[in-house]
Amino acid sequence: MTTVTSLDGTTIAYTRIGQGPALLLVDGAMCHRASGPNTGLAEELAGDYTVYTYDRRGRGESGDTAPYAPEREIEDIEALVEMIGGPVFLYGISSGAALALAAAASGLPVSKIAVFEPPFVVDGTRPPIPADYTTSIETMLAQGKPGAAIRYFMRRGVHLPAPVVAMMPLMPGWSGMKAVAHTLPYDLAFVTEFEHGEPLPEGRWDDVKMPALVVDGSKSPAWIRNGTRDLARVLPNAEHRTLPGENHIVKPAALAPVLKGFFR
């Protein structure tokens, strides 16, 4: 296991493959190197880039240090960038997209940033998150009910249909999801501000001045596609792309060529 140490002493595990310019991939909720789309994406990109994937704190082989604060996750990325030697290309998916944007805005040496479908709710195409959304998930986790927290997150946050959520405990990856459910509040810290059915605030990411690529899938729900387009609108230097036939579970083989065209 290869690791770096974050500013607060937390051990962050990472993998490096490929050769070329450095590209760091940031996972979304409940994903890590052993379970999620970025490992497959790294393999697709390794012919052109030195690709780094890592386990966000509290997941996989990375450590965790209480109390949690969003700044700690930006410091984790900073530790990785310092180890790489920067500057880097940066990519984030879903809630990891919001984390990647926060890291880029913090002043880290990021040459270009690409994001896929941050879960922003910017209009009335779906209900906003409930007022007690984060508190409800934290309470369920504190009560030792990770499954209930996941189901609530999937229904009220991801807005999956109730029958789909009801079937999730029967899926093969359910136990793995429960093992990292305690990190759900870490993701919520980066996205709930933008899930209330209002357009994204002007100027929120003015410090993300580097070229940015904002990507969605043509088969994703309208609400998340609208949020993606709105992000492209408010970023200072962004372009928007839609992947035909893709949804939030984007196929690495479909996404990789678009990223290669951008990170060049």
Side-chain angles (χ1 to χ4, degrees), residues 17-21 45-51 89 259-260 263-264:
I17 64 171
Q19 188 171 4
L45 295 167
D48 298 88
Y49 305 93
T50 303
V51 188
F89 296 138
L259 295 182
K260 290 178 184 180
F263 291 131
R264 61 183 178 185

Side-chain angles (χ1 to χ4, degrees), residues 101 115 117-123 194-195 197-205 214-216 222-236 238-240:
L101 288 167
V115 297
E117 292 192 348
F120 298 157
V121 183
V122 301
D123 56 24
F194 313 110
E195 296 184 316
E198 300 175 354
L200 296 173
E202 303 285 348
R204 179 63 174 78
W205 291 282
V214 183
V215 188
D216 61 15
W223 70 267
I224 203 165
R225 295 195 64 202
N226 293 347
T228 301
R229 282 192 292 267
D230 203 39
L231 176 62
R233 175 185 66 84
V234 299
L235 286 174
E239 58 180 291
H240 172 253

Side-chain angles (χ1 to χ4, degrees), residues 6-229:
S6 194
L7 184 62
D8 70 346
T10 302
T11 298
I12 303 298
Y14 73 91
T15 298
R16 167 183 171 170
I17 64 171
Q19 188 171 4
L23 170 55
L24 177 61
L25 310 184
V26 184
D27 276 315
M30 295 184 290
C31 293
H32 50 93
R33 291 176 300 157
S35 178
N38 278 347
T39 295
L41 180 61
E43 293 170 354
E44 292 283 344
L45 295 167
D48 298 88
Y49 305 93
T50 303
V51 188
Y52 296 83
T53 54
Y54 75 103
D55 293 337
R56 289 174 56 184
R57 60 175 53 211
R59 313 177 193 188
E61 296 181 299
S62 287
D64 204 0
T65 304
Y68 176 80
E71 293 78 13
R72 303 293 84 77
E73 292 219 66
I74 296 172
E75 290 166 0
D76 298 344
I77 293 177
E78 182 177 10
L80 287 161
V81 172
E82 288 180 352
M83 176 274 300
I84 292 166
V88 301
F89 296 138
L90 188 61
Y91 165 80
I93 183 170
S94 195
S95 55
L99 168 54
L101 288 167
S106 74
L108 295 183
V110 175
S111 300
K112 293 183 178 182
I113 182 171
V115 297
F116 185 83
E117 292 192 348
F120 298 157
V121 183
V122 301
D123 56 24
T125 49
R126 58 152 283 184
I129 57 170
D132 60 351
Y133 176 61
T134 298
T135 301
S136 295
I137 288 178
E138 290 175 341
T139 298
M140 293 173 196
L141 293 172
Q143 293 173 344
K145 300 176 179 178
I150 294 169
R151 289 192 295 271
Y152 186 83
F153 166 74
M154 292 295 181
R155 185 75 185 106
R156 302 301 181 187
V158 182
H159 199 57
L160 291 179
V164 174
V165 174
M167 293 293 293
M168 292 189 73
L170 304 177
M171 297 178 181
W174 182 247
S175 61
M177 293 173 69
K178 289 199 297 181
V180 294
H182 64 280
T183 63
L184 280 173
Y186 301 4
D187 293 274
L188 305 188
F190 287 96
V191 300
T192 54
E193 178 183 355
F194 313 110
E195 296 184 316
H196 298 286
E198 300 175 354
L200 296 173
E202 303 285 348
R204 179 63 174 78
W205 291 282
D206 277 359
D207 290 331
V208 183
K209 300 182 185 299
M210 69 288 297
L213 175 66
V214 183
V215 188
D216 61 15
S218 68
K219 290 190 175 181
S220 290
W223 70 267
I224 203 165
R225 295 195 64 202
N226 293 347
T228 301
R229 282 192 292 267

